[in-house]
Amino acid sequence: MSAVLEIRNLSVALPAGGDRPFAVEGVNLQVNPGEILCLVGESGSGKSVIGQAVMGLLPRALPVVRGQILLEGEDITHVTQARLRELRCVRMSMVFQEPMTALNPVMRCGEQIDEVLRTHTELDPAARRERVRRVIDEVGLPDPERMFESFPHQLSGGQRQRIMIAMALVLEPALLIADEPTTAIDVTTQAQILKLIRDLRITHRTGVLFITHDFGVVAEIGEQVAVLRLGQVVETGAKDDVLGKPEHPYTRMLIGSVPSLKPRHRGADQAAPAVLTLTRMNKTYRSGGFFVQRHAVHAVRDVSFEIRRGQTLGIVGESGSGKSTVARCIARLIDPSDGSIRLGDDEIATMSARRLRPLRRRVQLVFQDPYRSLNPRMGVGESIIEGPVNYGTPRHDALRRARELMELVRLDPASLERYPHQFSGGQRQRICIARALAMEPDLLIADEAVSALDVSVQAQVLELLDEIRDRLHLAMLFITHDLRVAAQVCDDVAVMSQGVIVEYGPAAEIFSAPRHPYTQALFAAAPGRDYVFGA
């Protein structure tokens, strides 16, 4: 059986003056027809560089200086751009991590798939439209005609990713490169995308190079595994061998960093005072005007829970379940429609903006994307002290506190003058945590704060949040779609579906014996649930 893709001794140079000379050095990989090879490693390990090198998408600053890339026996390392354009989508295709940025926002989804056919085939418009409808149906999207006419923003994240897969597979290429296609997607949608890729590679005998940092995904979809560290392959083998008997210390470290689905026994103090109490809170969005019947969307319905000092409550559920809407209502970034939100002894659900302003410092948020959360034109020290200074803290006191917080989050206080782009993703998230703590809040809301981080960095940030919670005796609301993360940080868990809490209780009870069918479906969809990670 001849390989679909064979990479021989591939080296890609980095610009001079960096920490290391190569982005990728001496890499050897092979993908056979109908086989899924998972390429796994942390950010900066060179995974995406390899995928882009195969597709001929590397920038000029990252030249291939050595090695061969054989696509069905043809060395494409030094072919012309015209030849690469002939090969893309016909013999090799790529699915990117974020479909919203990969898709054209002003073209209908069907037209974007049709563009591939117009470029690479001589089919007439009617035949192309039928082919597009067929591939949309094949990737499991409902109502192909509606999907054809929809713009990307009118679809969910999972639907957009399926459109990307349909575009990649419409000409049945021999090789599919999937670059983190399920990162930050909720577990049920992730399970559907993984099943789709498994089924399609069987149907079309497509070889798949699946790039990921998630070992749960590796356990779910992989057959062969290659572990990449600082541009070098440190371990390869069959999935069960690499996950069950890892040989390289780096592989063992990565696997050991994956959170377990077995919840930790934390034992929060039930006698501690309540920091936040929600009672039958609702949020309804209404559309329409004075002369038009208004349409109501109930984003959150009758949500009630309590968080005590030193306690972490997790809210888990799929995208669109209402998790972030609850957080925004609590922080009063949006106004609840009705119900009660008590912050300590203060009722803030209906409080005016003027009266609310002094209380805002008591609730602070850490968002999913730290790079978008920080002002790129401000030094991180200025970002950290901005809030306290606005609330009257003298600048020199705020700077002194910022240096203390940098030490607390295990960063060098001397780096306060640096800008966000000069830090890694994990370091930026630590800075966001320091910025939130600078306000000395009673409640910290972490909204998908670790979902896009590598497993080793994720483990460090989770450990840091745990330590901060215990040291400062904070109440924490932890919003996540990752059940493994929830198991490790949460005392209690609220499971949300379609704006309603369907199950609520101690994490140990819910994880050991989920009662509601929706909760059971979430656990059934968790990738790699049959593997024991983090032991």
Side-chain angles (χ1 to χ4, degrees):
M1 178 174 58
S2 59
V4 170
L5 174 69
E6 190 173 357
I7 298 175
R8 297 177 181 173
N9 197 32
L10 179 68
S11 294
V12 177
L14 283 170
D19 295 334
R20 64 182 205 261
F22 296 103
V24 166
E25 184 178 9
V27 167
N28 293 281
L29 296 173
Q30 181 172 311
V31 181
N32 295 314
E35 178 182 75
I36 298 178
L37 169 66
C38 285
L39 184 59
V40 62
E42 297 176 286
S43 297
S45 62
K47 306 186 303 295
S48 294
V49 170
I50 292 174
Q52 291 168 9
V54 175
M55 294 294 295
L57 298 176
L58 285 176
R60 292 182 179 179
L62 299 177
V64 174
V65 295
R66 191 167 55 245
Q68 293 179 298
I69 300 173
L70 303 177
L71 180 65
E72 294 186 305
E74 179 182 357
D75 187 356
I76 60 173
T77 312
H78 301 293
V79 299
T80 64
Q81 285 298 316
R83 178 57 178 158
L84 285 171
R85 283 193 292 271
E86 292 174 356
L87 294 172
R88 292 180 190 132
C89 294
V90 178
R91 288 169 58 188
M92 60 180 181
S93 287
M94 192 165 187
V95 178
F96 297 94
Q97 176 175 343
E98 179 44 68
M100 197 58 183
T101 44
L103 293 169
N104 189 328
V106 297
M107 283 180 68
R108 299 181 190 277
C109 292
E111 292 172 350
Q112 298 190 52
I113 302 173
D114 181 64
E115 186 178 34
V116 176
L117 297 175
R118 288 201 317 270
T119 304
H120 294 284
T121 74
E122 296 182 358
L123 295 173
D124 61 70
R128 292 201 311 267
R129 190 176 184 92
E130 179 57 32
R131 184 81 166 267
V132 172
R133 285 173 52 87
R134 192 165 69 246
V135 76
I136 289 176
D137 183 64
E138 191 174 333
V139 297
L141 285 166
D143 194 352
E145 192 62 39
R146 181 175 69 84
M147 292 295 159
F148 190 103
E149 298 296 333
S150 296
F151 289 97
H153 72 272
Q154 295 175 305
L155 305 181
S156 70
Q159 288 174 330
R160 287 193 291 265
Q161 197 60 283
R162 288 169 186 263
I163 290 292
M164 282 290 301
I165 294 171
M167 192 184 309
L169 294 177
V170 67
L171 290 176
E172 300 186 7
L175 174 69
L176 175 66
I177 301 173
D179 190 357
E180 302 273 13
T182 60
T183 298
I185 293 178
D186 55 66
V187 289
T188 50
T189 306
Q190 183 183 67
Q192 294 165 8
I193 296 296
L194 294 179
K195 182 179 185 301
L196 173 62
I197 292 174
R198 280 199 309 268
D199 293 346
L200 290 174
R201 60 96 186 186
I202 293 172
T203 305
H204 299 288
R205 293 291 293 161
T206 303
V208 180
L209 178 62
F210 196 101
I211 297 170
T212 184
H213 66 260
D214 189 335
F215 270 95
V217 170
V218 173
E220 194 71 22
I221 198 173
E223 294 169 334
Q224 298 292 316
V225 179
V227 181
L228 200 65
R229 178 178 183 270
L230 297 177
Q232 297 180 331
V233 175
V234 297
E235 187 163 353
T236 59
K239 174 186 70 177
D240 291 341
D241 292 336
V242 173
L243 295 184
K245 296 171 289 185
E247 296 179 355
H248 196 277
Y250 178 72
T251 311
R252 291 198 291 269
M253 183 276 292
L254 288 180
I255 294 174
S257 299
V258 179
S260 170
L261 271 170
K262 182 179 180 181
R264 294 168 55 190
H265 179 70
R266 301 169 58 87
D269 183 6
Q270 296 301 317
V275 172
L276 177 73
T277 305
L278 262 67
T279 306
R280 304 199 67 177
M281 188 192 75
N282 292 272
K283 178 60 182 177
T284 303
Y285 294 98
R286 300 184 185 278
S287 61
F290 188 77
F291 296 105
V292 181
Q293 184 174 0
R294 306 188 75 176
H295 176 65
V297 176
H298 300 286
V300 171
R301 290 181 290 176
D302 289 338
V303 167
S304 301
F305 58 73
E306 184 178 73
I307 310 177
R308 298 182 176 276
R309 187 168 293 280
Q311 180 187 20
T312 299
L313 170 68
I315 302 182
V316 301
E318 297 173 288
S319 299
S321 62
K323 308 186 301 295
S324 294
T325 301
V326 169
R328 287 194 285 267
C329 286
I330 292 169
R332 280 296 304 273
L333 299 178
I334 57 175
D335 296 331
S337 300
D338 54 70
S340 170
I341 305 174
R342 296 193 68 83
L343 186 62
D345 294 328
D346 297 300
E347 173 60 63
I348 65 171
T350 56
M351 190 174 286
S352 68
R354 183 182 62 82
R355 290 184 57 211
L356 185 63
R357 188 179 184 277
L359 300 179
R360 284 195 179 277
R361 67 183 304 161
R362 294 169 56 186
V363 180
Q364 294 296 305
L365 288 94
V366 179
F367 297 98
Q368 177 176 345
D369 187 344
Y371 193 69
R372 293 172 61 188
S373 302
L374 295 167
N375 188 330
R377 296 182 294 178
M378 289 175 61
V380 299
E382 292 297 317
S383 291
I384 292 173
I385 70 171
E386 183 180 23
V389 169
N390 286 341
Y391 273 84
T393 302
R395 183 179 174 84
H396 66 275
D397 289 343
L399 281 171
R400 176 181 52 78
R401 177 62 174 159
R403 286 189 286 270
E404 293 173 355
L405 289 169
M406 288 291 277
E407 291 181 350
L408 179 65
V409 298
R410 304 190 191 109
L411 291 175
D412 184 0
S415 62
L416 283 173
E417 301 297 322
R418 292 164 62 186
Y419 289 85
H421 73 272
Q422 296 174 293
F423 295 88
S424 69
Q427 289 172 328
R428 285 194 289 265
Q429 197 61 289
R430 290 167 183 266
I431 291 164
C432 288
I433 294 170
R435 181 179 61 178
L437 296 178
M439 300 298 289
E440 300 182 356
D442 298 326
L443 174 68
L444 184 66
I445 301 175
D447 190 356
E448 300 281 9
V450 297
S451 65
L453 300 178
D454 298 321
V455 285
S456 59
V457 179
Q458 184 184 79
Q460 295 165 10
V461 173
L462 291 177
E463 181 183 354
L464 173 64
L465 286 171
D466 221 20
E467 178 184 325
I468 288 170
R469 185 202 72 156
D470 292 341
R471 182 183 298 188
L472 303 180
H473 212 48
L474 282 173
M476 191 180 303
L477 178 64
F478 198 95
I479 296 170
T480 182
H481 66 261
D482 191 329
L483 295 172
R484 295 181 182 277
V485 169
Q488 299 308 303
V489 300
C490 300
D491 303 301
D492 292 335
V493 171
V495 182
M496 287 195 72
S497 174
Q498 298 180 351
V500 178
I501 292 179
V502 298
E503 194 159 354
Y504 175 39
E509 292 182 11
I510 289 179
F511 275 75
S512 61
R515 298 184 300 276
H516 195 276
Y518 176 75
T519 313
Q520 294 167 358
L522 285 183
F523 281 99
R529 59 196 174 278
D530 297 327
Y531 279 80
V532 180
F533 292 110

